[in-house]
Amino acid sequence: MLVLPMLPILIPLTTAIVCLFVRNSIPAMRAVSVTGAVALVVAAAAVALRVHADGAPIASQAAGWFAPYGITIVADELSVILVVMTAIVQLGVLIYALGALDARREKAFFHPLYHTLITAVCGAFLTGDIFNMYVWFEVMLLSSFVLITLGGERAQLEGGIKYVTLNLVSSALFLTAIGLLYGLAGTLNFADLHVALQAVDFSDPANSDSKEMLTLIAMLFLAAFGIKAALWPFFFWLPASYHTPPPVIAAIFAGLLTKVGVYSVVRVFTLVFGHDPGFVYTVLLVLATISMLSGVLGAAVQYEVRRILAFHSVSQVGYMLMGFAIASLAWHGAGEAQLAGDATSAASLRTAATLALAGSIYFIFHHGIVKMNLFLIAGLIEKRKGSAQLKRIGGLFSDDWPLAAVFFVTSMALAGIPILSGFWAKLALVRAGLMSGQYLVIGVSLFVSILTLFSMTKIWAEAFWKPQPDDGDDVPIEFRPTAGRMALMFAPTASFAAIALFIGVGVGPLFDLCMSAARGVLEPMVYVEAVNPARLEAMQAQGQLVEAADDVIGGLTP
């Protein structure tokens, strides 16, 4: 049994359990928590290096139960990129939390819940079957619900109820879709599903009923994952809840939770739902485009920092899924062009598909760092000024120029200003969209980028540039950190701004990894081959046991 791919799941799970045993001592909990967070970074890097060195996914079968009967953990280039992002984000947010959270919330099981959430996120990225993806979603929902209501304030409870209600609807849709899919295909392992469904000729009229059922199942999964990712029209729970918990909790949600929904769409739809790409991915492209518009327009009319950022999360989920939809449609078009004998068009569309999906993967990584950092910065603004209402605050540029510099770099990265990380993500998506003929969608994405820049400059002008209003100092502050705590909170925000700058200036290596990951996703047989050998060995071993048993029985028979 190969343990390495399981480490990003086992380490935070173990950390959460140990934190429970030392829950009566905050210093001990902190020490265990930070140690576990650092260990996860090391483990994630080790898995990523192993996958990169092997040039292929690595699979692990829990307890020796081979796929499709047991729990399969698969680390491919896509999943390890996201696990590395998760490891980086969780360490920075945890360090910030040590300075930001009061003792009451730390004693209320913040550390065990935090690492349980990270366990679920890593589990969702690494699982090799769709039922265990559902299990990790439920673990993520339970821990995130308690975190979002940690402290028990009225606004938190209201936001938490909205959050959990719609996510329970998502869980019901998810489980229903799983049941229907199992009834249709007889398996839930991703690799097995791909092989089983690839063998069916859905162009045959005899399989029309199965094709319609599979399309229905695809729409159920899209609704379930769309709720998790805050895709239009399922997004309204996100801006209604992300401004209610402490900023450090909202930050980890913004950095990771919607990415799990986006990843699930990419993983499940590429491996399972290739039967009717013209319809399925056109629907996804339309929803992604509307998400971009609705999110950015919602942000444009807000005057509270975290509400602005929450609406922009909706908009940027649209970008991620727009790239995936463009990639899938272009890949399907390349196949049709190849059949028609147009090799030039087929090659061009394959290039566009790979570029579009690589742009989406890079966008996910960039957004996980940048959007999470903006929520952390929003928390620093609240601690400095007592409020995040733009009309009630100001003067931060003169009061705290390092914070202003960190916000400027991070917000411009989100808006896509050259040479920061967001620029390269959007450039890849725009170029791929133009190559594949998606001119209207690309036009909308460029318009959305302009409005994103408008929102970021609004925060800059109101919070940092204009003087502090005369009536802005009477806002009560629940918990004002000491100078040492403020420094502890500022350190990760500065580090994340530096990462956004670094992956923008040095875009080449990371984007090359994203291109390689995109090729692996679009050509899923590489993924399938990493899982199936284990099953083959098990089948061969089973055959040898049967033969041995026959020999024994034959020897005992008179």
Side-chain angles (χ1 to χ4, degrees):
M1 181 178 65
L2 189 61
V3 177
L4 186 61
M6 295 185 176
L7 289 180
I9 301 172
L10 295 175
I11 288 173
L13 179 61
T14 304
T15 304
I17 294 170
V18 176
C19 282
L20 285 174
F21 281 105
V22 297
R23 63 187 180 275
N24 293 325
S25 169
I26 289 181
M29 266 201 304
R30 287 184 167 193
V32 170
S33 191
V34 172
T35 301
V38 173
L40 179 57
V41 174
V42 175
V47 176
L49 290 172
R50 171 68 181 273
V51 171
H52 182 67
D54 289 356
I58 52 176
S60 180
Q61 313 294 340
W65 285 88
F66 295 108
Y69 307 108
I71 297 173
T72 302
I73 302 297
V74 187
D76 67 342
E77 287 180 303
L78 172 61
S79 58
V80 296
I81 287 172
L82 298 183
V83 167
V84 168
M85 178 200 74
T86 301
I88 294 170
V89 165
Q90 60 89 35
L91 177 59
V93 172
L94 180 62
I95 293 171
Y96 184 100
L98 299 182
L101 287 181
D102 56 293
R104 179 172 63 94
R105 284 193 171 96
E106 283 198 82
K107 287 180 180 177
F109 299 101
F110 166 77
H111 293 281
L113 289 166
Y114 181 80
H115 290 285
T116 303
L117 178 66
I118 301 304
T119 303
V121 171
C122 291
F125 288 149
L126 293 168
T127 185
D129 71 88
I130 202 161
F131 182 77
N132 280 294
M133 179 177 279
Y134 167 78
V135 171
W136 290 123
F137 268 51
E138 292 307 291
V139 175
M140 189 169 62
L141 174 61
L142 289 171
S143 52
S144 60
F145 174 65
V146 181
L147 283 171
I148 206 171
T149 57
L150 201 64
E153 296 176 4
R154 182 182 179 87
Q156 287 182 265
L157 294 174
E158 289 179 0
I161 289 170
K162 294 172 186 175
Y163 173 83
V164 77
T165 300
L166 198 57
N167 276 274
L168 286 173
V169 173
S170 170
S171 297
L173 292 172
F174 195 174
L175 196 57
T176 301
I178 288 173
L180 292 172
L181 183 61
Y182 185 74
L184 184 67
T187 182
L188 294 175
N189 180 273
F190 286 136
D192 261 29
L193 279 168
H194 182 75
V195 173
L197 295 173
Q198 282 288 103
V200 180
D201 182 8
F202 287 105
S203 62
D204 187 344
N207 295 321
S208 60
D209 290 345
S210 296
K211 181 178 179 179
E212 290 174 4
M213 176 57 74
L214 199 57
T215 301
L216 171 62
I217 295 170
M219 293 300 102
L220 286 173
F221 274 117
L222 183 58
F225 297 149
I227 292 172
K228 299 290 185 183
L231 181 69
W232 186 92
F234 313 110
F235 69 88
F236 51 85
W237 63 268
L238 192 151
S241 58
Y242 271 27
H243 67 288
T244 58
V248 65
I249 294 173
I252 198 67
F253 285 12
L256 296 180
L257 297 196
T258 54
K259 313 303 180 298
V260 177
V262 173
Y263 167 82
S264 301
V265 172
V266 174
R267 178 64 75 204
V268 173
F269 277 66
T270 50
L271 287 170
V272 180
F273 300 116
H275 66 292
D276 190 10
F279 173 75
V280 172
Y281 294 117
T282 299
V283 170
L284 180 59
L285 185 60
V286 170
L287 296 182
T289 305
I290 299 174
S291 290
M292 287 191 292
L293 270 174
S294 57
V296 80
L297 291 174
V301 299
Q302 299 296 321
Y303 274 86
E304 202 273 341
V305 175
R306 282 201 277 165
R307 282 184 179 271
I308 294 173
L309 299 177
F311 273 104
H312 273 300
S313 290
V314 176
S315 176
Q316 279 121 29
V317 163
Y319 272 103
M320 299 169 205
L321 291 176
M322 175 197 79
F324 173 58
I326 289 174
S328 301
L329 290 169
W331 194 260
H332 174 63
E336 292 184 335
Q338 191 71 42
L339 289 174
D342 190 351
T344 303
S345 295
S348 176
L349 286 171
R350 285 195 188 95
T351 301
T354 307
L355 183 61
L357 187 52
S360 285
I361 296 169
Y362 183 89
F363 200 109
I364 292 170
F365 189 95
H366 136 83
H367 188 264
I369 300 292
V370 167
K371 176 53 66 70
M372 178 272 307
N373 201 32
L374 285 170
F375 272 94
L376 296 182
I377 292 169
L380 283 169
I381 292 173
E382 290 182 21
K383 297 304 182 187
R384 289 280 294 162
K385 293 294 181 179
S387 174
Q389 291 287 344
L390 294 179
K391 295 298 184 183
R392 306 189 69 180
I393 61 176
L396 275 167
F397 181 77
S398 57
D399 292 347
D400 194 346
W401 69 262
L403 179 61
V406 167
F407 172 80
F408 182 80
V409 171
T410 310
S411 62
M412 293 301 102
L414 185 76
I417 299 299
I419 52 177
L420 299 170
S421 55
F423 170 75
W424 302 111
K426 293 181 180 179
L427 179 63
L429 294 175
V430 168
R431 185 180 174 192
L434 294 176
M435 289 173 66
S436 57
Q438 300 289 351
Y439 304 115
L440 177 60
V441 175
I442 296 306
V444 171
S445 71
L446 293 173
F447 174 70
V448 169
S449 289
I450 294 171
L451 289 184
T452 303
L453 180 60
F454 164 75
S455 294
M456 295 301 104
T457 53
K458 178 170 70 175
I459 296 175
W460 174 264
E462 294 287 336
F464 290 88
W465 198 248
K466 84 171 192 296
Q468 172 70 35
D470 293 336
D471 61 347
D473 290 328
D474 60 349
V475 182
I477 300 177
E478 175 197 0
F479 168 64
R480 187 187 295 277
T482 62
R485 281 178 170 255
M486 288 293 284
L488 195 61
M489 293 165 65
F490 179 75
T493 62
S495 300
F496 287 128
I499 291 174
L501 183 61
F502 176 75
I503 64 174
V505 175
V507 64
L510 178 58
F511 201 83
D512 287 342
L513 289 174
C514 292
M515 287 288 285
S516 181
R519 285 189 288 269
V521 171
L522 292 170
E523 299 173 358
M525 285 309 297
V526 178
Y527 181 97
V528 172
E529 288 170 4
V531 178
N532 275 352
R535 185 185 177 192
L536 254 153
E537 289 171 11
M539 291 173 68
Q540 290 168 353
Q542 185 179 9
Q544 291 166 2
L545 286 173
V546 170
E547 290 175 5
D550 288 343
D551 291 341
V552 171
I553 292 169
L556 294 174
T557 304

